[in-house]
Amino acid sequence: MVTPARPVFQPSNTAEIGDNPTTGRAFHWGLLALMRAAVVLLGALQLWFYRYAQNNDGMHYLDIARKYAQGDFAGAVNAFWSPLYSWLFVPAYTVFNVGPVYEFQAAHLLNFILFLAALLAFEFFLRQLFATLTDSDAAEATFRFAWWIAGYSCFAYSILVMVNLGRVGPDIVVAASVFAASGLLLKANRQREAFVGVAAALGAVLGLGYLGKAALFPVSLSVIVALALLLRRRSRGWLSVAVCAAVFLGTSLPWVAVLSTQKQRLTFGDAGRLNYAWKVNNVPISHWQGDPLTGRPLHPTRTLSRQPTVYEFAEPVRATYPVWHDPSYWFDGIQPRFVPGMQAARLMSSVDYFGSRRWLAPMLLATIVAALIAGWASAASAIRRRWFVLLPSAVGLLGYTVVLIFDRYIAPFVVTTFLVLLGGPLADLAGSRDGNRRIPAALLSGVAVVFAIMTLHELWFYDRLAPRGHRHLATSEAIRDLGVADGSRIGVIGNSPHSYWAQLAGNRIVAEIMPAEVALYWSLPAAERTRLLDLFRRPGAVAVVADNVPSWADTRGWKPVANDYWVYMLPAFTPSAGN
């Protein structure tokens, strides 16, 4: 065991790369450039695999960007989807005039730019953390080599596997914000006198992170608290804290004011409360009509028929799929409730989720091995000396554990926590004078190899199987060829949330039969099916599109189009005297 203390590195008796300062520095920067290039190449490869892909969240971020580009600012304000990603995509419409053919590819190009920003933020964090662990200039080349290799390997896994660049959305923005904020906290801790510039940069990073995803608002508050505790006894410490808080609030409060004005109540975003209702109170995720526990909706979707249920939602939300475009509107009036049994069930589900993650075992094993060899006092010292980085990550992890947890949500918190807990004991070992000083490089190299293999496995065996053709564009064009003009109102029997072909044509889904009742619809007599189709005309639909049509279904009157979709053209609706 070693006594936890700031290590003082002694030169090795045997010559090695890095003993010569000039050679070591050149080797270090050459290695850094090589690793950076490898990670960037893997990111570009993943984006190439997914260049034609779209996802549910991404459809709505692009819909919102399109509204901003068209000047529909009132329609673009959304209490569920945070604005930053949509803002960043607006130039694709206004400056580059991107059309349907290249819309998805443009979104993935934006992801790649954000990926590069996250990489730079991570490098900054990794460098600052290494500087707090040891004297960077005196550190042995083998330890420095292994540190950067392990760091880049963990970054690649967290972004390419846990977040996945193929998903269109702001998770990469969140990762960049967390990495940058963690690095700035470490930098602030290293300075004997607080610098206002670092505090201002931290406030800006936190503000942008919140605009990327509302979940970072409470995390940002915990960062400001950590900074206050960290600098409370330093010269100009409270001034720096005030500057950080002012910049953060100056960046975030205008959006809070906009949302609060729209909702007529104080809110920094409704994603958290709605996810709590869905995942803890077990409220249906769409077409909620009210219940005794959580209340009644102020303006629910309309029910036109039952068995199967035909829902209508043509107004007032105008988007590709209004039900999921602004859930905060359809769920206005909901009151999420804390019920101990429900909360316990959600926590158990989160624990099961953690237990099923492939990244958990190697991270736990490496951390425990380092603590056992260096001594538990060294592990405790790592927590005590860098608690201010662990606190915001703990807040983020706890928040998601209580409500809803996915790898892409927690990736930056997991990686920063892992490297902080692993780095402290290993730095103590590397600075010792006994035979254990070679263990850190070996353990870090093992971490690098494990996560590199896991990343490459994901890319080769899963990501490369992403759709190669622009199937959604083909479906959109085929439906247009049948006479459904771009921008038309349509109905869907099946999977409306994944109707990305409708987004490309600017179509609006205004009524639907949900996937769970598709088979029921097709099993009905022909006269009843015709009656249900006639209901789609009421909100102005000119066609009904169906997917997952059973092989035994009677499709007379329907026309097949690309990718196993079927289209039924509706005659114009003429209201009768009773309508």
Side-chain angles (χ1 to χ4, degrees), residues 535-560:
L535 295 177
F536 283 88
R537 295 193 297 149
R538 293 187 182 181
V542 301
V544 177
V545 180
D547 59 14
N548 296 317
V549 177
S551 59
W552 46 261
D554 178 5
T555 56
R556 284 176 293 180
W558 292 79
K559 298 178 181 179

Side-chain angles (χ1 to χ4, degrees), residues 108-127:
H108 289 105
L109 178 60
L110 174 59
N111 274 10
F112 186 69
I113 295 171
L114 295 174
F115 167 68
L116 297 179
L119 177 59
L120 293 176
F122 181 79
E123 285 184 352
F124 174 70
F125 159 71
L126 201 62
R127 187 177 294 108

Side-chain angles (χ1 to χ4, degrees), residues 496-510:
S496 296
H498 295 165
S499 299
Y500 310 133
W501 46 266
Q503 178 196 4
L504 293 173
N507 293 330
R508 291 170 51 199
I509 300 171
V510 295

